[in-house]
C-alpha cells in the first residue's frame, strides 16, 4: 500500500541547507488508521508531501497503491492526487463560494466528471459524515468540525485506497477533534482505507493502531496499540519520550 525507502529531501534557504528528511523508511501494508508523530520541525509535513506526490524527494523510492511516485510526471502526479488518494489539511481548504455538496464533488468537477454517480456519491458521503442536512451550506455557515467533515467526504470521493491528513484537527476544539478522529478511525475500518495522519498530539495518536515516531528527518521507531485494553495518551507520550531519548 505504502512503501517508502531511503527518502531524502533538503531545502535551500539562501545559503543555508535544511536536510528535512534524512533517509525515511516507511511500510504500511494493511488498511487502517496510522499516525506519524514527532516534534515541530521533525519532517512530518515534508514526508506527507512526498507520500502524496505534492513534492518530490531528492533521493529514494516511494510506492503508494502500486504506483511509483518518485518517477511520475507532473501530469501523472496531478491525476494521482485527484483519483488515487485523498488529502485532508489543517486549514480544510474548502472553496468559500461553493456549497458543501459542490465542495465534495470538486475533484470530479475538476476532472470534468458531471455524472449522476458523482452527485449521488457526494450525497452519500455527506450522509456518512453526519452532514446530510448541511448539503447546501457554504463553508462560512458551517462550524470548523463540519467543514473538516466536508473535507473528509471530499477526500473519499473516488474511493481512494489511501488518505493523508496533516494535523487535521489543528484548528478544532477538543469535542470537534474527537469527532474527526473517531470518524477517521471508523472510515479506515468500514471502507478499508489506509488513513495516515500527521499529528503531534498523543491523544490523536491514541485512535490509531500504529504510530511512526519521527525525529530529525527519520522514523526512529513504531509503537503499536495493544491488542486489548486502552491505548491512552499518557502511555503514548511516555513511550514516545523513551524512543526519542534512546535515539538522541
Ligand atoms: N518549503 C520549505 N522551504 C524551506 N524549508 C522547509 C520547507 N518545508 C519545510 N522546511 C524545513 O524542513 C524542516 C521540516 O519541516 P516540516 O514542515 O516537515 O516539519 P513538521 O514536522 O511538519 O513540523 P510542524 O509540527 O511544526 O508542522 C523544518 O526545519 C522546516 O523549516
Ligand atoms: Mg507540519
Amino acid at each position: 500500500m505504502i512503501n517508502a525507502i531511503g527518502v531524502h529531501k533538503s531545502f535551500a534557504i539562501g545559503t543555508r541547507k535544511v536536510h528535512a528528511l534524512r533517509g525515511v523508511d516507511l511500510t504500511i501494508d494493511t488498511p487502517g488508521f496510522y499516525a506519524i508523530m514527532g516534534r515541530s520541525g521533525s519532517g512530518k509535513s515534508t514526508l506527507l508531501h512526498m507520500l502524496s506526490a505534492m513534492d518530490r524527494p531528492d533521493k529514494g523510492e516511494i510506492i503508494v497503491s502500486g504506483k511509483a511516485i518518485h518517477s511520475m510526471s507532473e501530469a501523472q502526479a496531478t491525476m494521482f492526487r485527484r483519483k488515487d488518494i485523498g488529502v485532508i489539511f489543517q486549514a480544510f481548504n474548502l472553496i468559500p463560494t461553493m456549497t458543501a455538496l459542490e465542495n465534495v464533488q470538486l475533484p470530479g468537477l475538476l476532472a470534468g466528471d458531471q455524472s449522476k454517480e458523482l452527485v449521488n456519491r457526494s450525497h452519500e458521503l455527506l450522509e456518512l459524515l453526519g452532514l446530510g442536512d448541511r448539503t447546501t451550506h457554504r463553508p462560512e455557515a458551517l462550524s470548523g468540525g463540519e467543514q473538516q467533515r466536508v473535507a473528509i467526504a471530499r477526500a473519499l470521493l473516488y474511493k481512494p485506497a489511501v488518505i493523508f491528513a496533516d494535523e487535521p484537527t489543528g484548528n478544532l476544539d477538543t469535542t470537534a477533534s474527537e469527532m474527526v478522529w473517531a470518524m477517521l478511525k471508523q472510515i479506515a475500518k468500514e471502507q478499508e482505507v489506509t488513513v495516515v495522519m500527521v499529528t503531534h498530539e498523543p491523544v490523536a495518536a491514541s485512535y490509531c493502531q500504529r504510530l511512526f515516531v519521527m525525529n530529525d528527518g527519520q522514523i526512529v521507531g513504531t509503537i503499536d496499540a495493544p491488542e486489548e485494553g486502552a491505548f491512552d495518551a499518557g502511555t503514548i507520550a511516555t513511550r514516545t519520550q523513551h524512543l526519542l531519548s534512546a535515539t538522541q
Side-chain angles (χ1 to χ4, degrees):
M1 219 154 295
I2 299 179
N3 203 6
I5 307 158
V7 175
H8 285 261
K9 181 72 179 179
S10 295
F11 298 103
I13 314 170
T15 54
R16 214 165 62 87
K17 201 171 163 192
V18 178
H19 202 166
L21 299 181
R22 301 165 179 259
V24 171
D25 297 313
L26 172 78
T27 302
I28 293 177
D29 50 23
T30 316
F33 193 14
Y34 298 85
I36 298 175
M37 229 171 77
R39 294 193 191 98
S40 180
S42 57
K44 305 182 296 296
S45 296
T46 306
L47 176 59
L48 217 67
H49 291 155
M50 303 296 129
L51 297 176
S52 54
M54 286 191 268
D55 201 353
R56 275 168 197 283
D58 300 330
K59 205 168 110 187
E61 288 179 25
I62 303 175
I63 316 283
V64 175
S65 293
K67 300 205 170 148
I69 311 224
H70 54 281
S71 56
M72 275 180 180
S73 68
E74 222 13 80
Q76 286 171 323
T78 302
M79 284 318 287
F80 172 83
R81 286 193 300 268
R82 231 172 246 168
K83 295 216 160 163
D84 291 324
I85 59 167
V87 189
I88 302 163
F89 302 94
Q90 178 173 342
F92 319 137
N93 293 15
L94 300 179
I95 308 282
T97 52
M98 289 184 150
T99 65
L101 187 71
E102 289 163 345
N103 267 289
V104 176
Q105 289 173 272
L106 187 64
L109 299 175
L110 289 173
D113 183 348
Q114 305 204 333
S115 66
K116 188 92 186 88
E117 286 81 44
L118 188 76
V119 183
N120 292 344
R121 171 125 177 108
S122 304
H123 271 290
E124 277 168 31
L125 287 169
L126 284 172
E127 288 283 344
L128 178 75
L129 275 297
L131 296 169
D133 57 351
R134 297 281 191 279
T135 55
T136 58
H137 288 54
R138 295 224 162 84
E140 63 179 11
L142 297 169
S143 72
E146 288 169 339
Q147 289 185 56
Q148 194 58 304
R149 284 187 276 145
V150 172
I152 295 170
R154 180 179 60 190
L156 285 164
L157 187 65
Y158 280 110
K159 302 189 180 164
V162 184
I163 289 182
F164 295 108
D166 194 352
E167 307 262 7
T169 58
N171 288 341
L172 302 180
D173 65 22
T174 309
T175 312
S177 296
E178 282 167 356
M179 188 161 193
V180 164
W181 296 323
M183 284 192 159
L184 290 174
K185 182 175 181 170
Q186 183 193 343
I187 284 163
K189 191 166 176 215
E190 290 175 4
Q191 318 267 319
E192 292 196 11
V193 185
T194 296
V195 180
V196 182
M197 172 176 71
V198 160
T199 183
H200 57 254
E201 292 179 84
V203 60
S206 72
Y207 286 76
C208 299
Q209 67 204 61
R210 172 173 287 180
L211 338 175
F212 298 92
V213 180
M214 269 194 99
N215 189 38
D216 201 14
Q218 287 183 322
I219 288 176
V220 295
T222 59
I223 301 174
D224 284 320
E227 302 242 329
E228 280 172 53
F231 194 33
D232 60 275
T235 310
I236 291 170
T238 311
R239 292 187 59 188
T240 307
Q241 268 319 315
H242 277 152
L243 260 177
L244 291 177
S245 48
T247 49
Q248 244 140 41

